[in-house]
Amino acid sequence: MMTLTALLGAIELGTIYAVLALGVFLSFRTLNMPDLTVDGSIVTGMATAAVMCSAGINPYISLIGAFIAGACAGFMTGILHTRLKIQAILAGILVMLASYSINLRIMGKTPNIPLTKSETIYNMADKILPSKYSGIVIGLIVLAVIILLLYLFLQTRLGFVFRATGDNEDMVRAAGVSGDNMKLMGLAISNGLVGLAGGMLAQNQAFADISSGTGMMIIGLASVILGEVVFGTKTLLRRLISASLGAILYRVIISQALYLGMESSDLKLVSAVIVAAALYLGILGEKGAKIRKRRGQNGKSASNS
Amino acid sequence: MENLLQIHNITKIFGEGTINEKVAISDLTLKLQAGDFVTVIGNNGAGKSTLLNCIAGVFPLDRGDIILAGKNITKIPEYKRAKYIGRVFQDPLKGTAFDMSIEENLAIAAAKNKSRGLQPGLTKADRNDFREKLAMLEMGLEDKMTQKVKLLSGGQRQALTLFMAVIAEPKLLLLDEHTAALDPSAAEKVLALTEKFSKREDMCTMMITHNMKDALKYGNRTILMQSGRIAMDISGKEREDMTVEKLIEKFSIDNDRMLL
Ligand SMILES: Nc1ncnc2c1ncn2[C@@H]1O[C@H](COP(=O)(O)OP(=O)(O)OP(=O)(O)O)[C@@H](O)[C@H]1O
Ligand SMILES: [Mg+2]
């Protein structure tokens, strides 16, 4: 088993990926849309937070900046999808591609911004808490605030129709609300959270890197699915917490696998395999449950005969 | 008396200019008064669903105007029109958000004419109100308000959808074979509810059905559609004297399904 320090490190990173997972949860689960903007918007968040932090702006304000920057990326995807009628997945890829150039511009055309000399939420926390736990504590506080706000939002009138959009857009329209507007809003909030996670990540690792977005959507997805399987989906609050815990668990598993000798360069392959397997096993959604049930019945009748 | 719904010379052509061109609605005019409950019959492909879709704003018209409660709604997008129009379709899955609870679904429908911001989606008062009203459906739904809709039977769902369609007091209720997917007893129940809800004085109802008996039993007026036009429009005495046999004979509707 890995060392305690490594475990704490994984959990600390997990609290950041949990914010990413919540973003992916909104697009993938609530809107029922695979959104690849994530791979771009997370870097947008990183870049924005890094530039703001190194300009001496309060690191918490920088996180809000990262949220807004990520939300803009999501909003663009929403415009491409709902107004120009481009397929959701393609719209996400287009914005992901475009955001590479934009992210570079935000970063002043350098592929890497170090934050070692800047104030971050993490080195601020180090001043009041023992540094071993400070990162986890601050990560959990940010995460808890986000879960609470998200939960409260999803219980509002607006939140209700937003949640119904992924289920049944016809019904949302019948209720006098434009499903397109809900998607637009959802993609913005979702990528806002992803951007925020990017901002936290940049502050945590003390640098922003232009190429660190690849595969983030899949990692978020893996976290959501892992959380659903391990921690359940019974209530809305439970689902939000499950997605977050899923992200933390995912980091812990990865860190243990690395400890056991997995090459870190194989990380993305492993993530892809995990998600592909989960998709195949039909853990995703209703259809999967039905297929599994049918398989179970077939299995039974086969063994009876 | 002012007509609540006025449809003036509307035409809807699908695939205009292509070899698949289809005139689904052809220069159709129809006026409904408040309190009217019109049953709509006609062969497959006669244009019944298209007519309802035109009224609801699913697609733009090629010609004509639609005026509801004195307001020209011809160019208003579907989701905005929905504030004045309640709809129920044949497919019980179409009307509800399956992964949300009964009370949450009702709250969404009930907030149709209210602003949708950060107010609580569901208050205690809403819950009490819904519980009271759901009891009218006599399906025991008032005791399962926190249950997800996907756990309901088709009949229960369709009753709930119908209830959701009228909860915000629309001007117009559009029903497209809304009992066709239900077993006979569930269908009867939903039809009884339909009749009950249609009694509101400031609303009119249009119900498409392939069941001739229902078409004459419910409502106060029946129209028959044929290739995008109204081929027959009966009410009052003429309608009372009409029988299923005469209907079929008169219009030589050779559709076995309709006899049932
Ligand atoms: N979206 C569409 N695109 C192209 N053609 C359409 C569309 N909707 C309907 N049509 C055509 O318009 C005609 C009328 O169809 P409609 O669905 O209104 O018939 P209906 O009277 O409701 O029939 P049914 O009893 O089978 O429900 C049909 O020929 C149909 O193929
Ligand atoms: Mg039809």
Side-chain angles (χ1 to χ4, degrees):
Chain A
M1 191 62 200
M2 63 182 141
T3 61
L4 182 65
T5 319
L7 179 66
L8 291 176
I11 295 175
E12 182 174 329
L13 209 51
T15 58
I16 301 172
Y17 279 88
V19 178
L20 166 75
L22 289 171
V24 172
F25 174 83
L26 285 188
S27 57
F28 191 74
R29 277 289 181 244
T30 312
L31 284 181
N32 210 354
M33 243 169 145
D35 175 30
L36 281 165
T37 318
V38 172
D39 285 16
S41 58
I42 192 155
V43 183
T44 311
M46 277 183 164
T48 308
V51 168
M52 287 174 79
C53 281
S54 43
I57 295 170
N58 178 299
Y60 286 97
I61 305 285
S62 309
L63 288 185
I64 293 174
F67 178 92
I68 294 170
C72 289
F75 189 78
M76 275 318 299
T77 304
I79 293 283
L80 291 183
H81 175 55
T82 62
R83 300 297 188 264
L84 307 188
K85 307 289 172 205
I86 296 171
Q87 275 176 28
I89 198 147
L90 215 52
I93 291 174
L94 286 172
V95 172
M96 176 177 75
L97 182 70
S99 70
Y100 186 87
S101 305
I102 300 206
N103 296 340
L104 258 182
R105 276 183 188 271
I106 295 174
M107 292 166 74
K109 309 225 170 131
T110 59
N112 194 297
I113 299 179
L115 284 179
T116 37
K117 294 197 187 67
S118 311
E119 197 172 40
T120 66
I121 60 168
Y122 293 98
N123 57 31
M124 272 168 89
D126 280 345
K127 287 178 201 146
I128 24 175
L129 294 162
S131 65
K132 208 172 187 179
Y133 304 102
S134 62
I136 294 186
V137 171
I138 200 72
L140 285 177
I141 290 173
V142 174
L143 181 60
V145 169
I146 291 172
I147 290 179
L148 184 71
L149 288 178
L150 207 51
Y151 179 67
L152 290 176
F153 169 68
L154 292 174
Q155 299 288 344
T156 62
R157 266 193 209 151
L158 188 61
F160 272 21
V161 266
F162 170 59
R163 280 161 61 201
T165 308
D167 262 12
N168 187 344
E169 211 186 321
D170 288 331
M171 179 259 202
V172 169
R173 219 175 300 126
V177 176
S178 151
D180 280 350
N181 290 349
M182 289 298 111
K183 287 183 193 166
L184 212 53
M185 178 188 80
L187 286 170
I189 297 176
S190 155
N191 283 286
L193 289 175
V194 173
L196 178 61
M200 290 171 79
L201 201 56
Q203 296 193 20
N204 186 265
Q205 63 194 15
F207 66 87
D209 185 90
I210 187 72
S211 59
S212 46
T214 319
M216 285 295 185
M217 188 262 184
I218 292 298
I219 292 176
L221 198 50
S223 307
V224 171
I225 296 169
L226 192 62
E228 285 176 349
V229 173
V230 179
F231 304 105
T233 58
K234 201 142 193 234
T235 61
L236 182 63
L237 185 60
R238 175 90 161 260
R239 297 187 77 171
L240 297 177
I241 293 173
S242 290
S244 310
L245 291 180
I248 295 174
L249 182 60
Y250 181 83
R251 287 321 311 181
V252 171
I253 291 172
I254 294 284
S255 141
Q256 174 67 12
L258 290 172
Y259 173 79
L260 293 177
M262 184 181 80
E263 295 282 336
S264 64
S265 55
D266 290 338
L267 217 72
K268 292 201 156 94
L269 175 65
V270 172
S271 307
V273 170
I274 292 175
V275 172
L279 285 164
Y280 175 68
L281 292 175
I283 289 163
L284 300 170
E286 296 287 291
K287 254 185 236 146
K290 264 187 223 140
I291 292 167
R292 264 179 292 160
K293 203 167 158 198
R294 214 176 304 137
R295 284 218 184 103
Q297 282 164 353
N298 287 351
K300 252 182 253 155
S301 58
S303 61
N304 285 345
S305 61
Chain B
M1 192 185 147
E2 174 84 352
N3 292 304
L4 189 56
L5 174 70
Q6 304 178 42
I7 299 170
H8 291 294
N9 307 90
I10 63 166
T11 296
K12 177 67 203 172
I13 306 169
F14 289 113
E16 190 162 16
T18 70
I19 50 167
N20 294 322
E21 181 171 303
K22 168 84 200 171
V23 182
I25 299 290
S26 171
D27 198 31
L28 183 145
T29 294
L30 178 69
K31 288 177 183 155
L32 263 59
Q33 286 183 352
D36 267 355
F37 180 169
V38 180
T39 55
V40 183
I41 53 175
N43 287 314
N44 293 122
K48 305 178 296 295
S49 299
T50 306
L51 174 62
L52 263 50
N53 283 335
C54 286
I55 299 172
V58 176
F59 27 61
L61 296 179
D62 290 290
R63 277 187 288 282
D65 284 299
I66 298 175
I67 291 147
L68 180 61
K71 189 170 169 179
N72 191 329
I73 58 167
T74 316
K75 298 225 154 54
I76 297 182
E78 183 186 358
Y79 77 91
K80 286 191 182 153
R81 270 186 226 199
K83 297 200 184 226
Y84 325 105
I85 300 177
R87 295 191 82 181
V88 186
F89 301 92
Q90 179 174 347
D91 182 356
L93 303 181
K94 250 189 137 173
T96 44
F98 62 91
D99 214 17
M100 295 176 77
S101 66
I102 293 177
E103 55 182 15
E104 287 170 336
N105 270 278
L106 283 170
I108 291 175
K112 226 183 199 185
N113 296 311
K114 299 179 191 156
S115 77
R116 277 190 222 256
L118 302 179
Q119 312 90 334
L122 198 54
T123 62
K124 213 166 173 193
D126 289 335
R127 281 204 179 91
N128 290 336
D129 184 40
F130 294 160
R131 185 168 299 118
E132 215 169 90
K133 286 181 177 160
L134 273 176
M136 286 195 322
L137 303 186
E138 292 172 3
M139 286 194 165
L141 295 183
E142 64 276 16
D143 299 323
K144 338 179 169 168
M145 296 213 315
T146 55
Q147 214 176 72
K148 286 192 176 165
V149 169
K150 63 181 166 195
L151 301 173
L152 300 181
S153 72
Q156 287 175 324
R157 249 196 215 206
Q158 207 63 331
L160 178 66
T161 308
L162 179 66
F163 182 53
M164 283 166 60
V166 295
I167 196 169
E169 312 211 321
K171 297 280 171 217
L172 180 62
L173 178 61
L174 301 177
L175 309 166
D176 193 343
E177 300 186 47
H178 69 309
T179 58
L182 306 181
D183 68 59
S185 79
E188 200 167 321
K189 225 168 173 179
V190 170
L191 280 169
L193 286 172
T194 306
E195 180 153 54
K196 189 164 162 184
F197 292 140
S198 70
K199 289 282 187 283
R200 249 189 47 228
E201 282 304 313
D202 54 348
M203 180 181 81
C204 47
T205 306
M206 293 177 78
M207 177 175 92
I208 298 178
T209 177
H210 278 296
N211 185 316
M212 293 299 115
K213 243 188 358 224
D214 290 343
L216 294 176
K217 179 174 167 195
Y218 297 97
N220 62 342
R221 185 172 165 191
T222 298
I223 62 177
L224 171 82
M225 286 194 66
Q226 265 168 6
S227 35
R229 294 165 197 275
I230 294 176
M232 178 198 82
D233 185 346
I234 53 170
S235 54
K237 178 96 175 62
E238 196 185 358
R239 186 169 181 265
E240 272 160 37
D241 294 340
M242 185 60 76
T243 61
V244 173
E245 290 73 26
K246 270 201 272 179
L247 250 192
I248 291 160
E249 201 182 317
K250 193 167 174 190
F251 298 99
S252 60
I253 304 165
D254 50 359
N255 191 336
D256 290 339
R257 194 139 82 90
M258 295 192 177
L259 272 168
L260 299 173

